[in-house]
Structure formats: C-alpha cells, structure tokens
Amino acid sequence: NIARGQMLIAMCVSLWFFAKDKTSEFVVKRGVVTIFRYHVGTVAFGSFVVAVVQFIRYLMYYFEQQAKAQKNRVMVLVLKALQCCIWCFEK
C-alpha cells in the first residue's frame, strides 16, 4: 500500500508538471489508471526484492547465533560483516 501511494503521488506530480494545461482536473484519475495499467508489476517486484533481502538478513542473524553457540568467533565476525553489507544494501 505504501509503495502504491508513493508511486501515485510521483505519477500525479509528473503528469501535472509535464502537462501543457496545468488546470486539468483529472490528474489523479489519469495517475491511478496509468499506475494500475502499467506499473503494478513494478510495485510488486520491488516488494518482493525487499522481502528477499530481509529474509537473507534474518537468515544471517540465525547463522550468527548458531556460530555464537558453537563459539566460532571467525564465523561470527564474517556473518556480522555480511549483515552490515546487507543492511547497507537495504537502506
């Protein structure tokens, strides 16, 4: 829902900005139609990518806890570095 809202705002602003007639009353309607016709897949794919990255981050945290339990300090440090890289990618 958040991604669709942000995309709708961006679409409406771009339609208004590039319109020759700035007094058009149907900017929001045209934006909604354009988003649902052409960009729903983009929003879904973006949500999927975020979900996969979060899953990988949680998986790395689980592996880190397992390495801590086995007292494997090198693996803990490697996993913390990977988590940091994934966190930077997610932001």
Side-chain angles (χ1 to χ4, degrees), residues 73-83:
R73 290 185 181 180
V74 174
M75 193 60 165
V76 170
L77 291 175
V78 168
L79 289 169
K80 282 187 187 248
L82 283 173
Q83 283 179 7

Side-chain angles (χ1 to χ4, degrees), residues 5 8 10 13-14 24-26 34 37 41 44 46-47 51 58-61 63 65 74 78 81-85:
L8 177 62
V13 168
S14 67
S24 177
E25 298 174 3
F26 301 107
T34 303
R37 186 170 181 189
S47 298
Y58 293 135
L59 195 63
M60 291 297 147
Y61 179 73
F63 289 151
Q65 296 303 316
V74 174
V78 168
L82 283 173
Q83 283 179 7
C84 182
C85 292

Side-chain angles (χ1 to χ4, degrees), residues 17-47:
F17 185 78
F18 291 110
K20 292 181 181 180
D21 180 24
K22 302 271 191 219
T23 62
S24 177
E25 298 174 3
F26 301 107
V27 174
V28 175
K29 180 182 175 194
R30 284 183 42 215
V32 169
V33 168
T34 303
I35 286 173
F36 280 106
R37 186 170 181 189
Y38 297 111
H39 299 292
V40 172
T42 304
V43 172
F45 182 71
S47 298

